[in-house]
Amino acid sequence: MPTMNIIEAVRDALRIEMRRDQRVVVLGEDVGKFGGVFRATSGLYDEFGADRVIDTPLAEAGIIGTAIGMALYGMRPVPEIQFGDFIFPAFDQIVNELAKFRYRSGGQYPCPVVIRTPVGGGIRGGHYHSQSPEALFIHTPGLKVVAPSNPYDAKGLLLACMRQNDPVLFMEPKRIYRASRGEVPEGEYTLEIGKAAVVREGTHCTLLAYSGMVSIAEEAAKKGEAEGVSIEVVDLRTLMPYDIDTILASVKKTGRCVVVHEAPRTCGFGAELIAAIQERAMDHLEAPILRVTGFDTPFPYTLEHEYLPNADRVLGTVRQTLEW
Amino acid sequence: MTDVVTASSTDSAIDPVVSAPRRGAFVYFDLEPEAKAHSLFQILREDGSADEAGVAGVDQALARRLYEGMLTIRVTDARMMALQRQGRISFYGEALGQEAAVVGSAAASLPDDWIVPALREAGVGLFRGLTLESYVAQIFGNALDPTKGRQMPCHPIDRDHHYVVMSSCVASQIPHAVGIAMAMKAQGHAGRCAFGYMGDGATSEGDFHTSMNFAGVFHAPVVLICQNNQWAISTPGTVQTASETIAIKGLGYGVESLRADGNDVLAVHEVCRYAADKARRGGGPTFIELLTYRVSAHTSSDDPTRYRDESLTEVWRSRRDPLLRLRTFMEARGWLAAGEHDALVAQLEARVRDVIATVEAAAPPPVETLIEDVYEEPTWAQREQLAALVDPAS
Ligand SMILES: Cc1ncc(C[n+]2csc(CCOP(=O)(O)OP(=O)(O)O)c2C)c(N)n1
Ligand SMILES: [Mg+2]
């Protein structure tokens, strides 16, 4: 089996789907000839031409708004927003239009647009090249939110997203775009949207993580193992709709849970997960569910590693639940 | 009007257009609105020559100031790019080849005017009094950085000289410039104006169009300046817009729109002075397209050989270099003696080196700064989060 990094896996998925389905087009800033600032669409312009790999003017509202129009007409646009931080000029189009088209047309106009965008910090990007805005979009009914953590999932999930009919925000972890490398099957396969994966089994505490934080959770679990702490790591993979069954099964098994995300803490996705778990599994909990998150601040530049959750902070928090 | 030629393609546009002065004023400013937005105002020809009447108002002191301003940017940028390659700073975006647009416009501003910059206008700040120490400290993002290491390099600030900190979000700053101008008007502060800068790419964003519309409707004392360097990362001007020029976009909003050779610092200075004077006198907004070229990569993260023909870049780097043009002009008049240029460069290089030496060694901002300035006072949650970081046992 070939090995790929996340960028290559994303590109592979796009290429497969564009070969298979004439209706799939890619559009965005610098995605064509240049192949995207992170090279995710590199080579696609040469293979599919300027009509299907579309360099757009610098206007995110235009990119998403016209993608919506294309989808209404029956195409399958896969717009790229260059950085998750620059999605906000398109916020209105995403929140008020894309996410609501199916609903406000009584089901007659589904809007299968898959928005790809790199998210997360740790690349010395400061507050405009580091944000993790998932909570805003999970809180937008009508939009699916998918956040893979590795190349295998990225390819299988992206293919799945392009083959279903709801709009998706597909968030790619840019810090590990190249660092995360793994075996990826050639050709097509899809992974079910809405399914989490237990990426490491354990018995003392469940760590819920996604995107760039999965590798941090795994590192904490490894450190924990050396110290006699057995940690189960669940990679949520899809944030909306999230996989409540896998989450509950794990938490019921371990009796403890810590949620990790790099987005700010207050009203972050962790708050939703904790609420949902305690509503359904109070009797199984040995300790309060805790969070390791970014700060309630914009994403910093020089102090980004103080801001970002790391394995020591995660393991320390797991210990707090064990010592409760 | 034989001396005004309509641009048909970006590259031919820079060449042939000269506006001869007549009776002390430039005929360019008397053209019809459409013609002003289509043609290209120039004073210094590419070879550094000029019509005598066109430069009658230019004295040695002004030329010197402009030249030193441009040279400051060039020398500082080169040093910063070197630091980036050495891994001493994370990122840099230089203004190579655009120094005339930066400095010519800066020189048209007065101390009470406000500056709302985009990525390439740090030189406007430096020209108005932003210290090199402050500029470099922001780039290092350490404890000496007046903005506390919060942002990537190239986001300087200078409140004392009304230089507002830049946002990375393209075009987001343009309405702020218009709003500042509206406030000047609302507060009855005549004799001031706001300068709002942007790149060519920014003119595609909704914020640009909103800003133009507000500027026109509210007759705001604002000078909106587009540095058309013909690229937005890999996107050329022809992909950015189907419009013949960028300047003509202002006309639909009822905003007087000018277009000048952005590599001719005297022309830039003249159009900006015209627009700023008009704004300060209550004459309303002006939109100015300055045609130039991004000689460098987009930033230190970019490699333009992947997407453009660098042989054209060479033309802009050499023959069309804005510093060379002014230098030739000054030397021809004896305003820059032999060896003076080299001495200036050496002086600036030493100054930049000294500043780096004092700034680089500073410690990172204290960890407490993480939660400062988000609100006027930190919230209980922020304080709790900081406490957990400083003392995990808490
Ligand atoms: C809203 C937004 N979208 C995308 C980006 C990414 N980006 C940074 S600079 C840039 C190109 C800007 O081009 P232009 O406005 O011409 O300015 P220049 O860099 O040429 O000075 C892009 C696309 C951004 N910073 N902000
Ligand atoms: Mg540009």
PDB file of all heavy atoms in Angstrom, chain B residues 156-169:
ATOM      1  N   PRO B 156       3.122  46.192  12.011  1.00  0.00           N
ATOM      2  CA  PRO B 156       3.541  47.238  12.943  1.00  0.00           C
ATOM      3  C   PRO B 156       2.386  48.157  13.329  1.00  0.00           C
ATOM      4  O   PRO B 156       1.322  48.121  12.704  1.00  0.00           O
ATOM      5  CB  PRO B 156       4.592  48.013  12.141  1.00  0.00           C
ATOM      6  CG  PRO B 156       4.198  47.826  10.727  1.00  0.00           C
ATOM      7  CD  PRO B 156       3.609  46.443  10.643  1.00  0.00           C
ATOM      8  N   ILE B 157       2.639  48.954  14.339  1.00  0.00           N
ATOM      9  CA  ILE B 157       1.622  49.890  14.827  1.00  0.00           C
ATOM     10  C   ILE B 157       2.340  51.157  15.276  1.00  0.00           C
ATOM     11  O   ILE B 157       3.487  51.088  15.724  1.00  0.00           O
ATOM     12  CB  ILE B 157       0.834  49.277  16.013  1.00  0.00           C
ATOM     13  CG1 ILE B 157      -0.322  50.193  16.444  1.00  0.00           C
ATOM     14  CG2 ILE B 157       1.758  49.015  17.210  1.00  0.00           C
ATOM     15  CD1 ILE B 157      -1.246  49.529  17.463  1.00  0.00           C
ATOM     16  N   ASP B 158       1.676  52.295  15.145  1.00  0.00           N
ATOM     17  CA  ASP B 158       2.260  53.534  15.662  1.00  0.00           C
ATOM     18  C   ASP B 158       1.137  54.523  15.943  1.00  0.00           C
ATOM     19  O   ASP B 158       0.839  55.397  15.134  1.00  0.00           O
ATOM     20  CB  ASP B 158       3.261  54.108  14.647  1.00  0.00           C
ATOM     21  CG  ASP B 158       3.996  55.322  15.193  1.00  0.00           C
ATOM     22  OD1 ASP B 158       3.865  55.608  16.406  1.00  0.00           O
ATOM     23  OD2 ASP B 158       4.704  55.971  14.406  1.00  0.00           O
ATOM     24  N   ARG B 159       0.542  54.351  17.084  1.00  0.00           N
ATOM     25  CA  ARG B 159      -0.608  55.181  17.442  1.00  0.00           C
ATOM     26  C   ARG B 159      -0.241  56.663  17.473  1.00  0.00           C
ATOM     27  O   ARG B 159      -1.047  57.515  17.098  1.00  0.00           O
ATOM     28  CB  ARG B 159      -1.169  54.728  18.802  1.00  0.00           C
ATOM     29  CG  ARG B 159      -2.549  55.291  19.079  1.00  0.00           C
ATOM     30  CD  ARG B 159      -3.104  54.888  20.440  1.00  0.00           C
ATOM     31  NE  ARG B 159      -4.101  55.862  20.829  1.00  0.00           N
ATOM     32  CZ  ARG B 159      -5.409  55.731  20.612  1.00  0.00           C
ATOM     33  NH1 ARG B 159      -5.885  54.638  20.066  1.00  0.00           N
ATOM     34  NH2 ARG B 159      -6.249  56.683  20.954  1.00  0.00           N
ATOM     35  N   ASP B 160       0.975  56.970  17.911  1.00  0.00           N
ATOM     36  CA  ASP B 160       1.399  58.370  17.995  1.00  0.00           C
ATOM     37  C   ASP B 160       1.309  59.078  16.645  1.00  0.00           C
ATOM     38  O   ASP B 160       1.078  60.278  16.579  1.00  0.00           O
ATOM     39  CB  ASP B 160       2.842  58.470  18.490  1.00  0.00           C
ATOM     40  CG  ASP B 160       2.962  58.082  19.946  1.00  0.00           C
ATOM     41  OD1 ASP B 160       1.901  57.986  20.613  1.00  0.00           O
ATOM     42  OD2 ASP B 160       4.090  57.845  20.404  1.00  0.00           O
ATOM     43  N   HIS B 161       1.564  58.322  15.592  1.00  0.00           N
ATOM     44  CA  HIS B 161       1.521  58.924  14.259  1.00  0.00           C
ATOM     45  C   HIS B 161       0.310  58.448  13.450  1.00  0.00           C
ATOM     46  O   HIS B 161       0.330  58.448  12.226  1.00  0.00           O
ATOM     47  CB  HIS B 161       2.823  58.638  13.512  1.00  0.00           C
ATOM     48  CG  HIS B 161       4.023  59.227  14.198  1.00  0.00           C
ATOM     49  ND1 HIS B 161       4.846  58.492  15.014  1.00  0.00           N
ATOM     50  CD2 HIS B 161       4.498  60.494  14.223  1.00  0.00           C
ATOM     51  CE1 HIS B 161       5.802  59.278  15.499  1.00  0.00           C
ATOM     52  NE2 HIS B 161       5.614  60.496  15.034  1.00  0.00           N
ATOM     53  N   HIS B 162      -0.721  58.028  14.169  1.00  0.00           N
ATOM     54  CA  HIS B 162      -1.985  57.626  13.535  1.00  0.00           C
ATOM     55  C   HIS B 162      -1.781  56.546  12.473  1.00  0.00           C
ATOM     56  O   HIS B 162      -2.361  56.619  11.384  1.00  0.00           O
ATOM     57  CB  HIS B 162      -2.704  58.830  12.918  1.00  0.00           C
ATOM     58  CG  HIS B 162      -2.852  59.978  13.854  1.00  0.00           C
ATOM     59  ND1 HIS B 162      -3.414  59.844  15.106  1.00  0.00           N
ATOM     60  CD2 HIS B 162      -2.504  61.281  13.733  1.00  0.00           C
ATOM     61  CE1 HIS B 162      -3.408  61.023  15.708  1.00  0.00           C
ATOM     62  NE2 HIS B 162      -2.848  61.910  14.911  1.00  0.00           N
ATOM     63  N   TYR B 163      -0.935  55.604  12.798  1.00  0.00           N
ATOM     64  CA  TYR B 163      -0.712  54.470  11.882  1.00  0.00           C
ATOM     65  C   TYR B 163      -1.375  53.255  12.522  1.00  0.00           C
ATOM     66  O   TYR B 163      -0.885  52.681  13.483  1.00  0.00           O
ATOM     67  CB  TYR B 163       0.796  54.257  11.703  1.00  0.00           C
ATOM     68  CG  TYR B 163       1.155  53.160  10.725  1.00  0.00           C
ATOM     69  CD1 TYR B 163       1.285  53.427   9.358  1.00  0.00           C
ATOM     70  CD2 TYR B 163       1.366  51.855  11.164  1.00  0.00           C
ATOM     71  CE1 TYR B 163       1.614  52.431   8.468  1.00  0.00           C
ATOM     72  CE2 TYR B 163       1.693  50.851  10.273  1.00  0.00           C
ATOM     73  CZ  TYR B 163       1.820  51.141   8.929  1.00  0.00           C
ATOM     74  OH  TYR B 163       2.142  50.143   8.048  1.00  0.00           O
ATOM     75  N   VAL B 164      -2.529  52.900  11.975  1.00  0.00           N
ATOM     76  CA  VAL B 164      -3.354  51.861  12.591  1.00  0.00           C
ATOM     77  C   VAL B 164      -2.782  50.485  12.234  1.00  0.00           C
ATOM     78  O   VAL B 164      -2.316  50.277  11.124  1.00  0.00           O
ATOM     79  CB  VAL B 164      -4.818  51.981  12.099  1.00  0.00           C
ATOM     80  CG1 VAL B 164      -5.683  50.878  12.687  1.00  0.00           C
ATOM     81  CG2 VAL B 164      -5.393  53.348  12.464  1.00  0.00           C
ATOM     82  N   VAL B 165      -2.832  49.570  13.172  1.00  0.00           N
ATOM     83  CA  VAL B 165      -2.257  48.243  12.931  1.00  0.00           C
ATOM     84  C   VAL B 165      -3.024  47.503  11.836  1.00  0.00           C
ATOM     85  O   VAL B 165      -4.243  47.593  11.735  1.00  0.00           O
ATOM     86  CB  VAL B 165      -2.217  47.424  14.240  1.00  0.00           C
ATOM     87  CG1 VAL B 165      -3.621  47.143  14.751  1.00  0.00           C
ATOM     88  CG2 VAL B 165      -1.419  46.135  14.074  1.00  0.00           C
ATOM     89  N   MET B 166      -2.268  46.795  11.006  1.00  0.00           N
ATOM     90  CA  MET B 166      -2.855  46.113   9.858  1.00  0.00           C
ATOM     91  C   MET B 166      -3.476  44.779  10.254  1.00  0.00           C
ATOM     92  O   MET B 166      -3.042  44.125  11.179  1.00  0.00           O
ATOM     93  CB  MET B 166      -1.723  45.893   8.857  1.00  0.00           C
ATOM     94  CG  MET B 166      -2.035  44.957   7.739  1.00  0.00           C
ATOM     95  SD  MET B 166      -0.649  43.802   7.581  1.00  0.00           S
ATOM     96  CE  MET B 166      -1.289  42.566   6.521  1.00  0.00           C
ATOM     97  N   SER B 167      -4.516  44.395   9.542  1.00  0.00           N
ATOM     98  CA  SER B 167      -5.115  43.061   9.699  1.00  0.00           C
ATOM     99  C   SER B 167      -4.677  42.199   8.532  1.00  0.00           C
ATOM    100  O   SER B 167      -4.608  42.665   7.402  1.00  0.00           O
ATOM    101  CB  SER B 167      -6.643  43.179   9.698  1.00  0.00           C
ATOM    102  OG  SER B 167      -7.219  41.910   9.469  1.00  0.00           O
ATOM    103  N   SER B 168      -4.396  40.922   8.794  1.00  0.00           N
ATOM    104  CA  SER B 168      -4.050  40.014   7.690  1.00  0.00           C
ATOM    105  C   SER B 168      -5.228  39.794   6.754  1.00  0.00           C
ATOM    106  O   SER B 168      -5.035  39.336   5.632  1.00  0.00           O
ATOM    107  CB  SER B 168      -3.638  38.637   8.217  1.00  0.00           C
ATOM    108  OG  SER B 168      -2.657  38.713   9.195  1.00  0.00           O
ATOM    109  N   CYS B 169      -6.432  40.050   7.227  1.00  0.00           N
ATOM    110  CA  CYS B 169      -7.618  39.707   6.432  1.00  0.00           C
ATOM    111  C   CYS B 169      -7.774  40.731   5.309  1.00  0.00           C
ATOM    112  O   CYS B 169      -8.132  41.891   5.550  1.00  0.00           O
ATOM    113  CB  CYS B 169      -8.851  39.692   7.314  1.00  0.00           C
ATOM    114  SG  CYS B 169      -8.645  38.587   8.722  1.00  0.00           S
TER     115      CYS B 169
END
